[in-house]
């Protein structure tokens, strides 16, 4: 009970063959340049109360989306927003 409680949400996007995922992640990183970002293993975006990590699977043609926040609804909202932004670049 002495540690804060956090909630994690996991999602994914199926990728189409030939998609330039690196380009999309660069666009997302640029869009969130006012936040702290890390691109060591995919792209992680940090806010003061939450984070989202985007990572391509090594075994499937998908991108995994992980989000964590101090409220489940906030984690879900962050994951959903980033997912919609990625899908907008794909279409």
């Amino acid at each position: 009970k002495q540690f804060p409680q956090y909630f994690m949400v996991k999602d994914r996007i199926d990728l189409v063959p030939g998609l330039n995922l690196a380009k999309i992640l660069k666009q997302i990183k640029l869009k969130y340049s006012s936040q702290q970002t890390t691109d060591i293993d995919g792209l992680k975006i940090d806010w003061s109360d939450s984070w989202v990590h985007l990572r391509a699977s090594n075994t499937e043609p998908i991108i995994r989306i992980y989000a964590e926040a101090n409220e489940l609804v906030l984690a879900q909202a962050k994951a959903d927003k980033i997912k919609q932004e990625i899908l907008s670049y794909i279409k």
Side-chain angles (χ1 to χ4, degrees):
K1 292 200 174 227
Q2 70 190 48
F3 297 107
Q5 187 173 12
Y6 285 88
F7 300 90
M8 181 174 269
V9 172
K10 297 177 184 180
D11 204 344
R12 65 187 247 175
I13 298 173
D14 294 319
L15 301 176
V16 295
L19 180 73
N20 188 343
L21 184 57
K23 182 179 178 183
I24 292 172
L25 291 180
K26 281 184 182 180
Q27 291 171 316
I28 297 289
K29 182 177 179 180
L30 181 62
K31 182 172 184 168
Y32 289 94
S33 62
S34 63
Q35 304 301 321
Q36 180 180 344
T37 60
T38 307
D39 58 4
I40 294 172
D41 182 22
L43 176 63
K44 184 178 181 192
I45 307 164
D46 284 292
W47 291 268
S48 62
D49 59 354
S50 57
W51 56 262
V52 173
H53 185 214
L54 308 169
R55 185 177 181 281
S57 170
N58 290 326
T59 58
E60 300 174 87
I62 63 170
I63 184 167
R64 297 186 189 281
I65 303 169
Y66 302 100
E68 186 177 89
N70 56 3
E71 296 180 28
L72 181 59
V73 67
L74 179 59
Q76 188 66 60
K78 295 278 185 174
D80 291 344
K81 181 177 182 190
I82 298 290
K83 182 176 183 176
Q84 291 309 311
E85 290 171 356
I86 293 170
L87 290 172
S88 75
Y89 289 118
I90 293 173
K91 298 182 185 215

